């Protein structure tokens, strides 16, 4: 009896049908010709990074202890004593950084090619939810290292949440488990980081991809029409990107490994405390305007961005004009993001 | 340009912009996790000082040092330490500002914040210029300019300032970083505690403590605080660990005299009475030191080690008694003379004198060899107790007595002419059965005094008992000594001597081979070409 027969006895499914479905869904998935251009096929990058983060995260969780007494020490142990621990930790850190950058790139491509337009508005919103989830998982993960930088980044980050109108106090208490960042915060962040957020991100990615497949990949105007099958050409592209990412992250880990910093000291507030770099633009904006107003404005901007697929048609009835508004708004937003991030980086 | 092209250009340009700029930002931020440069907030006055110093290029590296300091992190700038009042001895009007600044902050300034540390220091022997009381006339041998960058540089540690404060904090705490790691580095102590008269850094370096530090110390964080009675965080002690740092039971102190039981730098070793009203007796001070030792060592080891070192100090006194006897006798017999001018003596036959051989031998036997002998024994510097210690002391003694014999002293002539081996112990002895290192089975079969004197240990016991009764040894030390005395065959290893004969004979056979080899290869070698001098004859 062959293995295939042995398996068929125990899993009596229509194997031929299974192969057919697999071929239709994956192998022969029609990929529009414009996806041959690298610049227009960046959405897979965060998707490739996710399993890498999960694998390295599981390995880190073998050693990490989420308590104020042990968190820093266990990160030090991972970095300095566990075999290849520095590489796993560096990979996880750089993987998180690249995931955020790649999501920005993907969003930019979607925005400039109008891929959020009807009937794909829902997927744009799902994508936005994914961005928030990824920022939250990065924020909670960064705080777990429990050094001075991360401890005070957690403090300043949760302080921003406190400014949310009406529910700010409740939210920050829920996040911190008390008045300030303590052992309760650490266990909450740990639970969010290793369990709830990865589950939500995976669910949202599944929804993101199902919606994508239901509608098919959007086909921007002005490109050659036609399709090619997912396998082998696009599949090879994914393999190349995967190998490139592994090499790039490994290189970054070796050249620029994340340090340990100084152990967190809740009694010693540094003169200059900052959140992680991906919040710099928001952080600087909030420093420039009164905090309550700033939070309201940020909330408004975020709402406009989330619901942009529904707002855009209201901006103009002419397609050309809408396109120009799209390019100008997108370009300006990116330039402001970059400028604010750099300004906050170089400021003391 | 069609829409597709515009989109591609936009995506291309912004992709590059986003990737490059955000990767640079991520890199800068990750580097911060590896940098431990403290964040500092520079106040307006300090900013003015820094700007001007940088413009004029005056001591700019000190600004970097300050930026690394905990002072900088805590917001303590230039003026907090360098503020002066009109009439202060070091007040100076800064030429580029209206600031009246103190050129040299003194311990009085440091005490504004570090009151306890300055007070502890002022009560230590670091702050005590004892040589000015008893040895001021040594300056006849060394001219003043030589002492400026010699004696005075190190003894600045106990300087009495015009403002009445005592000491110089930056002798150990390098200005302006005041880095704890620098202060704790053995080389900081070794800036002064070095050389033939008190080679403490050399002793430390040759000790096991020093060896471990030299091997592994580069990886240790030496900038730790010990104020909270926390465990010693380093694997082996540096100087500061034993003399100043705290452990679980001992608080940290800036009084380096708080844990010393001897005045073993002095011409005679004596149990310290320094600041007894605050620091307690020598026994209390010894307990403090032992409490630090016990962080790493078993009590029995350190108690045995230290009582042995104590007996070395007492033995030194008996050796010194010989030198004092001879220089006094030679002075009384007018074979040597004291330096004298205007009715005042400038040398002392029992302390110093430099123009005659016995005086120099006596001086060296105290100030150089005598200290090395004692300090080596206290700090595990075997070579300094042995070759730079007792060996040199014995040489000094032989040379002194030989000089006396050459100059007609009958007693010295008799000593020189004597063939009896016990001539090299013309003083009373101390001893202890065995050592802290373990049980030796053969070592104690060789000393001449053991073989020549059946009552050796009874005589030694009488000496040790005498010093114990005089309070120079503590009760538990005497008990420890007696325990060893009563079991001396065990501690001396003599009862095991015959048990190890097979091992002993193995090495004896090897020794015979060695002896045979050097006789054949060297002693019996007879070259055919005789010496050129011999041919001349």
């Amino acid at each position: 009896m062959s293995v295939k027969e042995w398996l068929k006895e125990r899993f009596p499914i229509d194997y031929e049908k299974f192969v057919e479905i697999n071929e239709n869904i994956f192998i022969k998935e029609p990929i529009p010709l414009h996806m041959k251009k690298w610049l227009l096929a960046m959405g897979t990058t965060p998707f490739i990074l996710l399993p890498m983060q999960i694998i390295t995260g599981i390995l880190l969780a073998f050693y990490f202890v989420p308590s104020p007494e042990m968190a820093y020490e266990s990160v030090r142990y991972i970095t300095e004593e566990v075999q290849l621990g520095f590489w796993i930790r560096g990979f996880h850190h750089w993987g998180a950084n690249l995931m955020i950058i790649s999501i920005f790139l993907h969003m930019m491509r979607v925005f400039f090619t109008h891929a959020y337009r009807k009937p794909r508005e829902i997927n744009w919103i799902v994508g936005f939810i994914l961005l928030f989830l990824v920022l939250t998982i990065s924020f909670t993960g960064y705080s777990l290292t429990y050094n001075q930088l991360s401890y005070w980044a957690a403090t300043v980050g949760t302080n921003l949440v406190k400014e949310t109108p009406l529910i700010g106090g409740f939210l920050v208490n829920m996040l911190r488990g008390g008045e300030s960042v303590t052992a309760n915060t650490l266990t909450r962040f740990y639970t969010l980081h290793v369990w709830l957020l990865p589950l939500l991100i995976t669910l949202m990615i599944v929804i993101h991809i199902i919606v994508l497949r239901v509608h098919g990949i959007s086909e921007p105007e002005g490109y050659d029409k036609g399709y090619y099958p997912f396998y082998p050409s696009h599949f090879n592209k994914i393999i190349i990107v995967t190998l490139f990412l592994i090499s790039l992250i490994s290189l970054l880990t070796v050249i620029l490994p994340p340090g340990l910093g100084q152990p967190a000291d809740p009694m010693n507030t540094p003169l200059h405390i900052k959140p992680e770099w991906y919040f710099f633009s928001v952080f600087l904006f909030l420093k420039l305007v009164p905090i309550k107003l700033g939070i309201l404005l940020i909330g408004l901007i975020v709402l406009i961005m989330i619901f942009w697929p529904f707002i855009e048609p209201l901006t103009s009835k002419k397609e050309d004009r809408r396109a120009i508004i799209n390019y100008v708004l997108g370009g300006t937003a990116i330039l402001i993001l970059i400028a604010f991030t750099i300004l906050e980086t170089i400021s003391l | 340009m069609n829409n597709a092209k515009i989109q591609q250009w936009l995506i291309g340009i912004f992709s590059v912009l986003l990737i490059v700029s955000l990767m640079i930002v991520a890199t800068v931020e990750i580097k911060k996790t590896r940098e431990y440069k403290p964040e500092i907030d520079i106040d307006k006055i300090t900013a003015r000082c820094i700007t001007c110093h940088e413009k004029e290029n005056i001591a700019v590296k000190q600004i970097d040092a300050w930026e690394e300091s905990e002072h900088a992190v805590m917001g303590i700038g230039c003026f907090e330490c360098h503020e002066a009042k009109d009439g202060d001895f070091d007040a100076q009007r800064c030429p580029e500002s209206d600031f009246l600044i103190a050129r040299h902050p003194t311990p009085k300034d440091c005490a504004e914040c570090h009151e306890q540390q300055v007070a502890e220091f002022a009560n230590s022997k670091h702050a005590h210029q004892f040589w000015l009381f008893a040895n001021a006339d040594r300056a006849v041998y060394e001219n003043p300019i030589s002492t400026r960058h010699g004696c005075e540089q190190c003894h600045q540690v106990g300087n009495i300032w015009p403002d009445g404060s005592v000491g110089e904090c930056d002798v150990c705490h390098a200005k302006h970083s005041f880095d704890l790691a620098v202060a704790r580095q053995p080389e900081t102590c070794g800036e002064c505690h070095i050389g033939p008269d008190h080679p403490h850094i050399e002793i430390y370096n040759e000790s096991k403590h020093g060896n471990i530090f030299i091997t592994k110390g580069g990886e240790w964080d030496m900038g730790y605080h010990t104020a909270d009675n926390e465990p010693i965080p380093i694997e082996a002690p540096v100087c500061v660990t034993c003399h100043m740092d705290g452990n679980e039971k001992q608080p940290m102190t800036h009084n380096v005299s708080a844990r010393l039981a001897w005045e073993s730098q002095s011409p005679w070793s004596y149990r310290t009475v320094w600041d007894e009203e605050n620091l307690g007796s020598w026994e209390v001070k010894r307990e403090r030191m032992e409490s630090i030792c016990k962080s790493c060592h078993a009590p029995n080891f350190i108690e045995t080690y230290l009582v042995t070192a104590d007996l070395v100090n007492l033995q030194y006194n008996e050796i010194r008694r010989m030198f004092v006897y001879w220089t006094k006798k030679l002075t009384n017999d007018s074979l040597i003379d004291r330096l004298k001018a205007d009715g005042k003596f400038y040398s002392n036959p029992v302390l110093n004198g430099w123009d005659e051989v016995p005086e120099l031998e006596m001086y060296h036997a105290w100030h150089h060899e005598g200290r090395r002998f004692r300090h080596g024994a206290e700090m595990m510097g075997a070579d300094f107790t042995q070759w730079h210690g007792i060996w040199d002391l014995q040489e000094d003694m032989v040379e002194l007595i030989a000089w006396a014999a050459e100059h007609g002293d009958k007693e010295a002539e008799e000593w020189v002419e004597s063939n009896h081996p016990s001539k090299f112990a013309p003083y009373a002895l101390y001893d202890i059965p065995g050592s802290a290192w373990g049980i030796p089975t053969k070592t104690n079969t060789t000393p001449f005094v053991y073989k020549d004197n059946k009552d050796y240990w009874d005589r030694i016991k009488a000496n040790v008992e005498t010093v114990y009764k005089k309070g120079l040894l503590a009760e538990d030390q005497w008990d420890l000594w007696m325990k060893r005395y009563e079991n001396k065959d065990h501690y001396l290893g003599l009862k095991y001597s015959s048990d190890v004969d097979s091992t002993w004979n193995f090495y004896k056979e090897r020794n015979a081979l060695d002896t045979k080899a050097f006789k054949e290869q060297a002693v019996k070698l007879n070259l055919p070409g005789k010496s050129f001098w011999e041919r001349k004859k």
Side-chain angles (χ1 to χ4, degrees):
Chain A
M1 185 187 284
S2 71
V3 176
K4 189 172 160 186
E5 287 168 351
W6 188 91
L7 270 173
K8 275 186 82 172
E9 274 185 14
R10 275 141 194 91
F11 298 101
I13 56 167
D14 187 341
Y15 182 73
E16 305 307 325
K17 188 83 180 166
F18 176 75
V19 170
E20 192 188 324
I21 292 169
N22 185 43
E23 282 211 344
N24 286 337
I25 292 182
F26 296 110
I27 308 291
K28 292 180 182 167
E29 179 198 351
I31 308 289
L33 282 174
H34 77 272
M35 291 286 278
K36 289 202 169 182
K37 294 188 185 294
W38 285 92
L39 275 176
L40 303 179
M42 286 180 286
T44 320
T45 315
F47 180 66
I48 296 168
L49 285 167
L50 181 73
M52 293 184 191
Q53 291 302 95
I54 290 172
I55 292 166
T56 50
I58 289 169
L59 293 173
L60 290 172
F62 286 171
Y63 293 96
F64 180 75
V65 184
S67 80
E69 295 78 22
M70 288 301 295
Y72 180 87
E73 171 55 24
S74 57
V75 174
R76 187 206 62 76
Y77 184 77
I78 289 166
T79 312
E80 293 178 357
E81 295 184 42
V82 175
Q83 199 167 20
L84 284 178
F86 83 97
W87 183 72
I88 299 292
R89 183 176 163 229
F91 203 104
H92 199 70
H93 178 101
W94 276 111
N97 279 267
L98 291 189
M99 187 179 270
I100 288 164
I101 295 173
S102 61
I103 288 175
F104 285 161
L105 294 176
H106 173 55
M107 284 176 69
M108 176 194 64
R109 198 278 301 164
V110 170
F111 191 80
F112 283 141
T113 56
H114 317 300
Y116 52 82
R117 286 181 179 172
K118 189 182 169 186
R120 296 183 177 81
E121 302 98 321
I122 298 295
N123 229 14
W124 170 259
I125 294 171
V126 170
F128 242 97
I129 294 170
L130 270 169
L131 170 70
F132 288 127
L133 290 174
V134 168
L135 287 174
T136 313
I137 202 169
S138 301
F139 170 70
T140 49
Y142 179 71
S143 305
L144 293 180
T145 54
Y146 220 65
N147 57 43
Q148 272 291 72
L149 288 173
S150 73
Y151 178 88
W152 292 101
T155 303
V156 78
T158 44
N159 273 344
L160 294 184
V161 175
K162 193 161 68 179
E163 299 300 329
T164 314
L166 301 175
I167 55 166
F170 170 75
L171 274 182
V172 80
N173 260 325
M174 280 296 288
L175 267 176
R176 286 180 177 172
E179 285 295 307
S180 56
V181 175
T182 59
N184 288 350
T185 323
L186 207 50
T187 45
R188 274 156 206 247
F189 279 19
Y190 184 69
T191 311
L192 289 173
H193 185 79
V194 305
W195 183 80
L196 192 59
L197 290 169
L199 186 71
L200 286 176
I201 288 172
T202 310
L203 275 173
M204 294 311 286
I205 285 179
V206 170
I207 294 170
H208 202 56
I209 290 171
I210 288 174
V211 176
L212 171 86
R213 294 301 309 278
V214 169
H215 291 295
I217 295 170
S218 73
E219 294 170 48
E221 287 176 12
Y223 294 90
D224 294 340
K225 296 289 173 192
Y227 303 92
Y228 62 100
F230 175 82
Y231 188 86
S233 181
H234 202 71
F235 179 78
N236 286 347
K237 210 168 195 170
I238 290 173
I239 297 296
I240 290 167
V241 174
T242 306
L243 293 175
F244 171 75
L245 285 171
I246 291 173
S247 309
L248 175 69
I249 297 173
S250 296
L251 186 72
L252 288 166
T253 300
V254 172
I255 296 171
L256 297 160
L260 292 167
Q262 305 276 37
D265 181 359
M267 304 305 289
N268 179 14
T269 314
L271 286 174
H272 308 285
I273 53 178
K274 287 181 177 185
E276 257 285 63
W277 66 262
Y278 28 84
F279 295 115
F280 276 3
S281 51
V282 174
F283 186 63
L284 180 62
F285 178 75
L286 292 175
K287 283 201 286 188
L288 296 175
V289 294
I291 186 82
K292 296 276 182 199
L293 176 67
I295 293 283
L296 281 174
L297 287 174
I298 294 284
L300 189 65
I301 293 167
V302 169
L303 281 175
I304 292 172
M305 287 169 79
I306 292 175
F307 295 106
W308 182 249
F310 304 105
I311 296 167
E312 192 200 22
L314 307 175
T315 56
S316 175
K317 284 181 180 169
K318 292 181 180 169
E319 167 57 29
D320 285 355
R321 190 164 290 174
R322 285 213 303 267
I324 290 168
I325 291 171
N326 170 295
Y327 301 150
V328 171
L329 270 182
T332 310
I334 293 167
L335 287 175
I336 289 173
L337 170 81
I338 291 172
F340 274 37
T341 305
I342 290 174
L343 280 174
E344 184 55 30
T345 306
I346 58 176
S347 77
L348 267 178
Chain B
M1 197 186 289
N2 65 26
N3 242 351
K5 281 281 171 214
I6 292 171
Q7 287 173 6
Q8 283 181 51
W9 272 104
L10 283 171
I11 293 167
I13 290 167
F14 285 118
S15 292
V16 172
L17 264 177
L18 274 170
I19 291 172
V20 171
S21 59
L22 297 185
M23 282 304 287
I24 290 171
V25 168
T27 301
V28 170
E29 288 302 302
I30 207 165
K31 278 190 167 178
K32 282 185 189 164
T33 66
R34 305 182 61 77
E35 285 172 0
Y36 300 115
K37 204 171 179 182
E39 286 186 75
I40 55 171
D41 204 7
I42 299 174
D43 61 72
K44 282 180 184 168
I45 296 177
T46 303
R48 268 184 83 179
C49 301
I50 290 173
T51 309
C52 192
H53 270 255
E54 283 180 341
K55 194 177 112 202
E56 301 293 330
N57 200 25
I58 299 169
V60 286
K61 294 303 287 178
Q62 295 299 337
I63 299 167
D64 297 343
W66 172 79
E67 282 177 348
E68 281 177 16
S69 73
E70 288 193 33
H71 278 167
V73 174
M74 296 177 79
I76 297 161
C78 308
F79 213 51
E80 281 81 348
C81 303
H82 283 278
E83 187 178 8
K85 293 188 192 76
D86 266 326
D88 282 357
F89 76 95
D90 61 342
Q92 175 191 305
R93 188 70 60 183
C94 176
E96 299 292 328
S97 70
D98 54 351
F99 298 149
L100 189 66
I101 54 163
R103 287 182 65 85
H104 198 303
T106 68
K108 192 180 173 189
D109 299 299
C110 301
E112 292 284 325
C113 300
H114 304 282
E115 190 182 354
Q116 184 192 339
Q117 288 76 8
V118 171
E120 285 171 352
F121 176 87
N123 279 322
S124 76
K125 280 220 155 178
H126 262 156
H128 183 40
Q129 294 176 307
F130 52 87
W131 72 97
L132 293 178
F133 301 103
N135 199 19
D137 49 2
R138 202 178 72 182
V140 299
Y141 197 57
E142 298 157 341
N143 45 59
I145 188 65
S146 317
T147 68
R148 295 282 179 255
H149 283 185
C151 314
E152 287 181 32
Q153 184 171 323
C154 281
H155 285 288
Q156 177 73 6
V157 74
N159 187 44
I160 302 173
W161 290 92
D163 63 10
S165 62
V166 183
E168 177 81 307
C169 305
D170 61 39
V171 163
C172 306
H173 296 277
K175 63 175 91 144
H176 291 78
S177 71
F178 303 102
D179 191 335
L180 283 178
V182 173
R184 196 174 266 115
Q185 192 71 8
E187 281 76 7
T188 297
C189 309
E191 286 176 29
C192 295
H193 292 264
I194 191 170
D197 57 336
H198 43 41
H200 301 146
I201 185 70
E202 292 97 329
I203 290 171
Y204 174 75
N205 284 342
E206 82 160 37
S207 74
K208 189 63 80 191
H209 295 157
N211 186 0
I212 296 171
F213 172 73
I214 291 164
T215 310
K216 299 181 173 178
E219 296 165 10
W220 301 345
D221 174 12
M222 301 293 283
Y224 58 89
H225 289 267
T226 63
D228 300 320
N229 287 4
E230 287 183 349
I232 296 166
I234 52 177
E235 184 183 332
V238 292
C239 316
V240 167
T241 316
C242 303
H243 293 283
M244 295 174 79
D245 273 355
N247 66 355
E248 296 90 330
K249 293 189 174 170
Q250 276 300 311
M252 194 266 176
T253 180
H254 272 66
N255 188 335
V256 286
S257 307
R259 297 173 192 168
L260 294 179
W262 283 104
E263 297 292 350
S264 54
Q265 83 291 346
S266 146
W268 294 94
S269 279
Y270 62 98
R271 288 300 192 181
T272 182
V273 291
W274 178 260
D275 196 20
E276 277 191 316
E277 57 273 30
N278 291 312
L279 296 176
S281 67
W282 72 262
E283 289 174 74
V284 175
K285 292 169 186 168
R286 170 59 61 82
E287 274 173 26
R288 288 196 191 102
M289 181 62 89
E290 286 188 359
S291 142
I292 299 291
C293 302
K294 284 173 187 170
S295 284
C296 305
H297 297 287
N300 185 261
F301 170 78
I302 51 169
E303 284 157 11
T304 309
Y305 181 86
L306 288 171
V307 76
T308 310
D310 289 347
L311 293 171
V312 168
N313 267 277
L314 291 162
Q315 184 62 69
Y316 162 78
N317 282 351
E318 295 314 307
I319 299 169
R320 172 165 171 79
R321 210 178 299 286
M322 282 298 301
F323 286 88
V324 170
Y325 169 78
W326 280 107
T327 49
K328 267 188 170 176
K329 187 181 186 209
L330 295 173
T331 308
N332 289 337
D333 294 344
S334 299
L335 287 173
I336 57 175
D337 296 310
R338 299 178 71 176
L339 298 169
K340 194 177 177 184
D342 302 326
K344 185 179 180 251
F345 286 115
Y346 281 87
S347 70
N348 183 338
V350 297
L351 191 64
N352 52 30
W354 302 280
D355 59 339
E356 288 168 305
V357 170
E359 291 174 327
L360 276 169
E361 301 290 2
M362 187 278 308
Y363 181 73
H364 275 123
W366 153 49
H367 198 267
H368 288 35
E369 283 79 288
R371 285 178 175 172
R372 298 197 295 255
F373 177 54
R374 289 173 283 174
H375 298 171
E378 285 155 6
M379 298 194 296
M380 291 197 187
D383 193 48
F384 286 87
T385 302
Q386 182 70 40
W387 294 108
H388 302 302
I390 189 62
W391 188 264
D392 285 348
L393 274 170
Q394 293 291 82
E395 266 191 354
D396 293 341
M397 183 187 75
V398 169
E399 283 169 15
L400 192 159
I401 302 176
W403 186 94
E406 281 169 21
H407 289 76
D409 184 280
K410 296 292 172 202
E411 188 189 351
E413 282 175 11
E414 194 185 317
W415 186 89
V416 169
E417 284 164 13
S418 168
N419 291 325
H420 199 276
S422 64
K423 69 188 281 186
F424 294 110
Y427 38 73
L429 294 182
Y430 294 93
D431 200 350
I432 183 168
S435 66
W437 311 117
I439 302 296
T441 50
K442 290 290 182 185
T443 313
N444 290 309
T445 59
T446 56
F448 171 76
V449 283
Y450 287 4
K451 292 176 181 168
D452 195 47
N453 300 284
K454 297 292 174 213
D455 61 346
Y456 175 83
W457 282 106
D458 294 332
R459 287 167 67 176
I460 298 295
K461 182 192 165 198
N463 292 343
V464 175
E465 191 169 11
T466 302
V467 290
Y468 157 60
K469 285 183 175 166
K470 210 166 164 46
L472 299 174
L473 291 179
E475 191 175 353
D476 57 342
Q477 291 187 302
W478 169 244
D479 292 343
L480 188 151
W481 194 93
M482 278 305 290
K483 186 182 160 197
R484 285 183 164 246
Y485 171 79
E486 281 158 6
N487 296 285
K488 55 181 174 295
D489 276 0
H490 164 72
Y491 286 107
L492 288 166
L494 300 175
K495 68 191 280 191
Y496 310 107
S497 185
S498 55
D499 298 347
V500 294
D501 275 348
S502 60
T503 313
W504 173 252
N505 288 333
F506 169 78
Y507 291 104
K508 203 171 172 184
E509 280 168 26
R510 292 214 160 171
N511 195 60
L513 290 173
D514 272 352
T515 310
K516 190 178 165 208
F518 86 69
K519 276 186 181 165
E520 280 173 6
Q521 292 176 33
V523 181
K524 292 182 180 172
L525 187 66
N526 196 6
L527 295 176
K530 298 291 179 191
S531 81
F532 295 94
W533 170 245
E534 213 167 301
R535 261 197 5 212
K536 283 261 187 231
K537 285 198 288 185

